[in-house]
């Protein structure tokens, strides 16, 4: 039986405000919203819930505002058995919010107000040093300040803790951070931002992955939406993994489900990369068939039953 992994998530916590539309409005156009809903979200929170629902022991480093959204999100994380000891209540900033424009096609556009997520300080990372050192893996995304990720990954590297970087939303990444990263997981847009290679096929994906490895990353996993994913390991193992063909209702949270589930199942030596990627692929295919981010993330039992 695989050991239950101890995962630290350094990431964002948002309240998602979901606006269902027939399509995106044109410039100057006023449209009616078909339906309005709120749901827990933020890339960090989504990935934490995905990992926890896949039987990982999950701890969170982050910030929320001293407001109702912050209370709701901490309660939601606790409900999913996530340790919130290192989530700080920030009286100076509101809890992060994401406004999701969901079209009838299932595609979405997202506007983010970072709020407290952008105010994570070095003192938050220092306070969590022992936690990071005791973990199997730390996962971070770009909805929190880059300097904090570098600080956390330095602690992890010194303690031989696995580091997974989800470089989303797309930004240029300092070489210092890439050199501290064991596994980087960009999508096509993020891969192009990192490498200047436009990824449309496996050959492009291989070139982008090789370039990232030359920049210091040990392992690369590119997520390619409906085309699946492609990975290249430090030992040269590579594979293009097909996506499951399903009818997408809402793609929000699919990538985060993939990352969280992957982190929960990937061995520290990366020897089970193929199996972990397939597990994560199946999980994300279930997520897109339901509305919302956290509400749609499947459990390990649901994933293995399909």
């Amino acid at each position: 039986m695989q050991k239950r992994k101890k995962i630290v998530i350094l990431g964002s916590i948002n309240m998602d405000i979901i606006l269902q539309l027939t399509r995106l409005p044109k410039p100057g156009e006023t449209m009616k919203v078909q339906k309005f809903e709120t749901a827990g979200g933020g890339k960090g929170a989504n990935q934490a819930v995905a990992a926890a629902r896949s039987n990982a022991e999950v701890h969170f480093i982050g910030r929320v505002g001293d407001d109702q959204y912050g209370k709701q999100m901490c309660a939601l994380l606790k409900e999913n058995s996530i340790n919130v000891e290192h989530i700080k209540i920030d009286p100076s900033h509101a809890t992060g919010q994401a406004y999701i424009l969901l079209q009838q096609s299932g595609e979405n556009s997202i506007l983010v107000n970072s709020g407290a997520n952008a105010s994570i300080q070095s003192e938050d990372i220092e306070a969590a040093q022992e936690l990071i050192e005791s973990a199997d893996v730390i996962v971070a995304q770009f909805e929190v300040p880059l300097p904090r990720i570098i600080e956390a990954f330095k602690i992890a590297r010194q303690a031989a803790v696995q580091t997974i970087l989800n470089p989303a939303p797309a930004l240029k990444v300092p070489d210092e951070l890439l050199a501290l990263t064991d596994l980087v997981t960009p999508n096509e847009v993020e891969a192009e931002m990192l490498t200047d290679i436009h990824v449309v096929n496996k050959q492009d994906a291989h070139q982008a992955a090789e370039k990232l490895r030359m920049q210091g990353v040990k392992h690369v996993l590119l997520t390619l939406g409906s085309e699946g994913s492609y990975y290249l390991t430090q030992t040269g193992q590579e594979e293009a993994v097909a996506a499951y063909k399903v009818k997408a209702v809402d793609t929000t949270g699919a990538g985060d489900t993939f990352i969280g589930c992957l982190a929960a199942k990937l061995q520290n030596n990366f020897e089970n990369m193929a199996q972990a990627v397939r597990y994560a692929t199946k999980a994300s295919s279930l997520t897109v068939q339901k509305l919302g981010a956290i509400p749609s993330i499947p459990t390990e039992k649901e994933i293995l039953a399909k």
Side-chain angles (χ1 to χ4, degrees):
M1 186 175 177
Q2 185 178 343
K3 172 180 170 283
R4 188 172 183 234
K5 289 186 73 173
K6 182 175 182 179
I7 297 176
V8 172
I9 303 285
L10 168 59
S12 57
I13 301 170
N14 293 335
M15 182 60 74
D16 288 351
I17 293 91
I18 305 166
L19 307 176
Q20 292 190 43
L21 312 168
T22 53
R23 56 171 174 78
L24 294 180
K26 297 174 183 175
E29 180 183 14
T30 300
M31 284 179 63
K32 284 187 177 181
V33 172
Q34 292 181 309
K35 193 174 181 182
F36 169 91
E37 289 184 279
T38 60
K43 297 191 74 62
N46 295 342
Q47 292 173 16
V49 170
R53 290 182 183 173
S54 279
N55 198 37
E57 176 192 337
V58 182
H59 299 252
F60 206 102
I61 303 171
R63 286 197 178 197
V64 295
D66 187 11
D67 50 36
Q68 192 57 39
Y69 283 163
K71 292 181 178 70
Q72 289 175 354
M73 286 306 301
C74 285
L76 179 60
L77 294 174
K78 287 180 184 177
E79 286 170 15
N80 282 274
S81 303
I82 294 163
N83 186 300
V84 300
E85 180 184 344
H86 288 279
I87 295 177
K88 185 170 182 177
I89 309 299
D90 187 334
S92 302
H93 299 86
T95 299
Q97 301 131 49
Y99 295 84
I100 299 169
L101 310 180
L102 176 61
Q103 301 174 67
Q104 250 173 13
S105 63
E107 293 298 313
N108 63 58
S109 301
I110 303 176
L111 307 171
V112 176
N113 173 30
S114 297
N117 295 313
S119 70
I120 297 173
Q121 302 296 316
S122 295
E123 65 196 49
D124 301 344
I125 306 303
E126 292 165 5
Q129 179 170 344
E130 289 185 11
L131 171 66
I132 295 169
E133 290 171 341
S134 70
D136 293 306
V137 58
I138 181 169
V139 183
Q141 332 76 34
F142 286 166
E143 289 184 339
V144 297
L146 273 175
R148 305 294 85 78
I149 300 175
I150 292 171
E151 290 164 3
F153 276 26
K154 281 181 177 177
I155 294 170
R157 179 55 60 89
Q158 289 171 359
V161 172
Q162 185 186 78
T163 55
I164 297 178
L165 178 65
N166 178 216
L171 293 172
K172 285 289 185 184
V173 184
D175 287 345
E176 180 184 15
L177 179 54
L178 290 176
L180 294 167
T181 300
D182 291 317
L183 174 66
V184 67
T185 62
N187 64 17
E188 311 101 301
V189 175
E190 293 146 9
E192 184 170 358
M193 176 71 79
L194 293 171
T195 66
D196 295 321
I197 295 171
H198 183 53
V199 178
V200 294
N201 55 39
K202 182 181 175 181
Q203 184 177 0
D204 299 331
H206 177 81
Q207 289 178 348
E210 286 283 18
K211 189 166 183 178
L212 283 165
R213 293 221 23 241
M214 287 173 62
Q215 290 173 275
V217 178
K218 292 181 180 179
H219 310 270
V220 180
L221 171 59
L222 276 70
T223 57
L224 307 172
S226 61
E227 296 302 310
S229 60
Y230 167 85
Y231 66 82
L232 176 66
T233 70
Q234 188 176 29
T235 59
Q237 178 189 359
E238 64 175 333
E239 185 181 6
V241 179
Y244 286 81
K245 302 301 179 185
V246 297
K247 181 174 174 55
V249 174
D250 180 8
T251 57
T252 308
D256 295 331
T257 297
F258 185 98
I259 302 301
C261 290
L262 180 83
K265 298 303 175 186
L266 187 60
Q267 295 171 1
N268 283 16
N269 59 13
F270 289 86
E271 286 184 359
N272 72 329
M273 178 75 96
Q275 296 95 318
V277 169
R278 281 170 172 75
Y279 177 88
T281 301
K282 188 179 290 186
S284 60
S285 76
L286 295 175
T287 298
V288 301
Q289 296 180 64
K290 295 181 181 179
L291 189 64
I294 287 176
S296 68
I297 296 171
T299 62
E300 181 179 53
K301 185 176 179 181
E302 290 170 330
I303 297 164
L304 296 177
K306 298 294 180 181

